[in-house]
Amino acid sequence: MITGLGHTGFWVYDLELMRDFYSRVMGLTVTDEDEERGIVFLSARPDEEHHEFVLQRGRTAPDGAKLTHQVSWRVDSLESVIDFHHRLRAEGIEVQQEVTHGNAIGIYFFDPEGNRNEVYLRLERDVHQPFRKTIDLDLPPEEILAESERLLTEGGPAYQPVQ
């Protein structure tokens, strides 16, 4: 029986750029690397899991090719989502969308090589998916949560794909 995702990884063009992004901006810890083989192992919980994410030099797909749909990074609090909102803005990283899924609040964005990522907080509730509505993460935390609740009951389409 599957109990969770062990790790995932990306083939990359520029290993140093991607290592910097995922360690410095995303806050993952480099747990191992082999420069000769062009591979870096990273973890959000290095005391518990050697690696959850791998980067390896050797990407051959052209820019714009659709490869991985997304990698979603779960965080521990709404304040952490807000912190990423500010961190991504400070880094000049374009955010695709800041959303509530009813059962989560998150941010979708692209890494330096165009791979889509999400940072999200899981909310303890069941909401039929797909459900995605834009939310303003510049609001205070209590207003973000209240807006997320309001959007659950608001009419109109609950999901509009973002290109």
Side-chain angles (χ1 to χ4, degrees), residues 24-26 78-95 98 107 109 119 136-141 144:
R24 185 178 58 80
V25 178
M26 296 301 296
L78 181 55
E79 289 73 21
S80 291
V81 174
I82 294 168
D83 179 59
F84 271 102
H85 167 72
H86 295 294
R87 187 182 311 179
L88 295 169
R89 183 183 288 162
E91 290 287 330
I93 296 165
E94 182 179 346
V95 170
E98 296 165 344
I107 304 170
F109 59 95
V119 172
D136 182 357
L137 293 178
D138 283 318
L139 297 172
I144 292 169

Side-chain angles (χ1 to χ4, degrees), residues 20-148:
D20 176 68
F21 177 80
Y22 283 99
S23 61
R24 185 178 58 80
V25 178
M26 296 301 296
L28 300 177
T29 299
V30 173
T31 57
D32 262 324
E33 59 189 313
D34 185 322
E35 289 183 31
E36 184 178 314
R37 290 188 174 95
I39 190 167
V40 177
F41 299 88
L42 302 108
S43 180
R45 305 169 295 135
D47 294 338
E48 301 168 40
E49 190 72 46
H50 178 268
H51 64 278
E52 296 148 308
F53 195 58
V54 179
L55 299 170
Q56 186 163 17
R57 191 177 294 122
R59 182 172 177 165
T60 58
D63 284 342
K66 290 185 176 181
L67 301 171
T68 301
H69 182 266
Q70 71 191 46
V71 174
S72 296
W73 306 95
R74 189 172 181 172
V75 298
D76 58 351
S77 67
L78 181 55
E79 289 73 21
S80 291
V81 174
I82 294 168
D83 179 59
F84 271 102
H85 167 72
H86 295 294
R87 187 182 311 179
L88 295 169
R89 183 183 288 162
E91 290 287 330
I93 296 165
E94 182 179 346
V95 170
Q96 183 185 32
Q97 192 175 23
E98 296 165 344
V99 302
T100 177
H101 290 295
N103 64 0
I105 293 173
I107 304 170
Y108 288 91
F109 59 95
F110 295 91
D111 73 16
E113 291 191 1
N115 301 294
R116 187 166 74 160
N117 283 255
E118 175 191 24
V119 172
Y120 76 99
L121 171 67
R122 170 83 169 101
L123 302 175
E124 298 304 320
R125 66 172 340 132
D126 264 342
V127 175
H128 182 71
Q129 298 297 314
F131 179 95
R132 177 171 59 197
K133 291 189 177 184
T134 299
I135 197 160
D136 182 357
L137 293 178
D138 283 318
L139 297 172
E142 61 277 0
E143 290 182 36
I144 292 169
L145 291 172
E147 179 66 0
S148 181

